[in-house]
């Protein structure tokens, strides 16, 4: 026996007021399951398609609620109509294939999907908010600003984390620095972790590799560049108390665990530090780079 049901009728059958998210197309109801009228699921077992629907929906709603997201927003907020967040929710609750069903039934999958939905929702709403400036400038706009960047070079001495390097590159680009020098074992573009953390900023600033940080310092000083080491030493001067030189400047940042090599520090014109007021005497190298860079520029 096969009966055609309208959308409103099917919502009543489902007992779920948000069913318009899932049943946006015409379906046919028959004993044993729901069949979608599309070729993509024509070979999918009806019972597999429906079995577990309520459980998956409940799991996903619970996971969303855990991170402070009300699933009602997906179908009450007109800004989200047809959005990736809605499609992701629907795909989890009613997967289109055996593979998608197996993925949806994996442990912790609901938690992962919930985080994706929350981010997609935030992204969609932000993109529709004209007053929220979360988009990058284009090159033409940058030219119109006519701002001469401070001639700043950032030297990385054996930084271990590609994520930290990428974050520093992004900071350097946003500050208008001229280059980043990755020295020794420091990862550099096109290392995937660096590129990912840099969020495409590596395309707009020079990023070069030099085997030795000592050589990098010597080469820059020969060109008249003042070089500061950002390190916590006995003779370091607070970043807030030192005069930024008018000449080109370079900052050396060191390894996350052992800092800058003593040989490099000895070559620098000055050692500076960021004052701290807690138990720890230093911060993450990427955070330190951001504080120092914008203090200078």
């Amino acid at each position: 026996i096969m009966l055609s049901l309208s959308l409103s009728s099917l919502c009543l059958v489902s007992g779920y007021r948000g069913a318009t998210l899932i049943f946006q197309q015409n379906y046919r109801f028959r004993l044993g399951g729901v069949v979608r009228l599309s070729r993509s699921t024509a070979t999918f077992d009806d019972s597999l398609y429906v079995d577990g629907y309520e459980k998956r929906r409940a799991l996903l709603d619970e996971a969303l609620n855990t991170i402070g997201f009300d699933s009602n927003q997906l179908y009450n907020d007109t800004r989200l109509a047809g959005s990736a967040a809605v499609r992701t929710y629907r795909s989890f609750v009613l997967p289109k294939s055996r593979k998608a069903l197996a993925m949806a039934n994996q442990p912790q999958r609901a938690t992962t999907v919930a985080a994706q939905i929350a981010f997609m929702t935030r992204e969609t709403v932000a993109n529709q908010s004209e007053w929220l400036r979360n988009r990058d400038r284009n090159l033409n706009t940058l030219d119109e600003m006519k701002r001469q960047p401070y001639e700043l070079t950032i030297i990385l001495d054996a930084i271990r984390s590609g994520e930290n390097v990428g974050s520093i590159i992004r900071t350097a680009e946003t500050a208008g620095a001229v280059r980043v020098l990755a020295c020794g074992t420091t990862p550099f573009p096109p290392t995937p972790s660096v590129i990912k953390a840099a969020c495409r900023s590596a395309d707009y600033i020079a990023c070069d590799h030099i085997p030795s940080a000592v050589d990098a310092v010597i080469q820059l000083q020969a060109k008249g560049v003042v070089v500061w080491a950002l390190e916590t030493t006995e003779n370091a001067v607070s970043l807030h108390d030192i005069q930024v030189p008018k000449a080109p400047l370079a900052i050396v940042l060191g390894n996350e665990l052992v800092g800058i090599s003593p040989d490099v520090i000895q070559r620098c014109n000055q050692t500076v530090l960021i004052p701290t007021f807690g138990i720890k005497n230093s911060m993450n190298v990427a955070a330190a780079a951001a504080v120092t860079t914008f203090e200078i520029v």
Side-chain angles (χ1 to χ4, degrees), residues 17 62 65 74 86 271:
R17 60 196 177 113
E62 181 181 0
N65 186 62
L74 291 173
V86 171
T271 304

Side-chain angles (χ1 to χ4, degrees), residues 198-220:
C199 291
R200 298 185 298 276
S201 59
D203 295 336
Y204 305 108
I205 185 171
C207 302
D208 301 310
H209 178 259
I210 296 180
S212 168
V214 171
D215 290 344
V217 171
I218 293 174
Q219 292 172 18
L220 288 173

Side-chain angles (χ1 to χ4, degrees), residues 50-126:
V50 176
D51 286 350
Y53 149 67
E54 291 289 349
K55 180 180 179 181
R56 288 191 297 274
R57 177 175 61 81
L59 282 173
L60 186 52
D61 286 351
E62 181 181 0
L64 286 167
N65 186 62
T66 300
I67 58 177
F69 186 94
D70 184 358
S71 61
N72 291 330
Q73 182 181 354
L74 291 173
Y75 55 88
N76 288 336
D77 193 332
T78 57
R79 295 172 298 180
L80 301 178
S83 67
V86 171
R87 295 194 301 271
T88 301
Y89 185 98
R90 185 172 62 238
S91 296
F92 178 86
V93 175
L94 288 177
K96 298 180 181 179
S97 65
R98 293 180 183 274
K99 182 177 179 180
L101 176 62
M103 179 70 71
N105 289 334
Q106 288 182 355
Q108 303 302 316
R109 180 60 182 171
T111 301
T112 301
V113 173
Q116 294 172 348
I117 291 172
F119 175 79
M120 291 173 181
T121 298
R122 183 169 182 172
E123 183 179 40
T124 298
V125 172

